[in-house]
Amino acid sequence: MRTETDKAQLYDRQLRLWQKDGQAALERARVVVLGSSTLASESLKNLVLPGIGEFIVVDDALVSEADVRTNFFVRASDVGESRAQSIVRNLCEMNPDVHGQAVVKAPADFADLSNVSLVIACAQPDKTVRALGERCWSANIPMITASNAGFIAEIRSAVREHT
């Protein structure tokens, strides 16, 4: 566990931007990511480096040779293993303050949204996104959906109005 002084040095840029309260909110955040694609991995990297509290990756895909060529967070030795477990392991190496968990199941079958701050659905089928969107909306949990094809991407958010 890092001391406050260590954290101040490590997270200096973020602290200047959103102060201690913002950093504390980030460290309390619990994010669920459905899918373990390169898009999911890169999105999570941008939350792990500044010190998100916890993330959960839900996917039942296995690491393929193609993944090794396109995803920095899987290794050749991971081929045939759970892609969710591989990216969680490799992302957690980037910041030991962050807790990661892999849930090896189809994203459409994931139901536990308790204590979740944000849901990110990466490259999920419309049917899965619609069902998840309804559950997140009812539970007042912000949701982001993202998909890409090469250099073209689409990002959508669903957040209730708040003041």
Side-chain angles (χ1 to χ4, degrees), residues 28-65:
R28 286 190 307 271
R30 183 173 193 242
V31 175
V32 171
V33 177
L34 300 180
S36 60
S37 64
T38 303
L39 177 62
S41 300
E42 291 295 330
S43 299
L44 277 169
K45 174 198 70 177
N46 294 324
L47 295 171
V48 168
L49 287 174
I52 192 162
E54 179 182 3
F55 69 93
I56 300 165
V57 178
V58 181
D59 204 353
D60 58 354
L62 301 178
V63 176
S64 68
E65 292 289 338

Side-chain angles (χ1 to χ4, degrees), residues 46-143:
N46 294 324
L47 295 171
V48 168
L49 287 174
I52 192 162
E54 179 182 3
F55 69 93
I56 300 165
V57 178
V58 181
D59 204 353
D60 58 354
L62 301 178
V63 176
S64 68
E65 292 289 338
D67 292 325
V68 174
R69 290 190 301 275
T70 61
N71 191 331
F72 289 116
F73 299 99
V74 298
R75 299 178 179 141
S77 59
D78 296 334
V79 171
E81 295 181 14
S82 163
R83 193 166 61 194
Q85 290 175 336
S86 296
I87 68 170
V88 167
R89 179 179 58 249
N90 293 318
L91 282 166
C92 285
E93 287 178 5
M94 298 180 73
N95 189 338
D97 292 338
V98 175
H99 303 285
Q101 177 185 349
V103 175
V104 181
K105 67 168 34 175
D109 297 335
F110 185 72
D112 184 13
L113 294 178
S114 57
N115 300 315
V116 172
S117 309
L118 172 68
V119 173
I120 303 173
C122 290
Q124 295 302 303
D126 287 342
K127 182 179 178 180
T128 301
V129 170
R130 278 194 298 275
L132 177 66
E134 289 173 9
R135 291 179 35 232
C136 287
W137 190 264
S138 295
N140 199 24
I141 299 170
M143 183 178 90

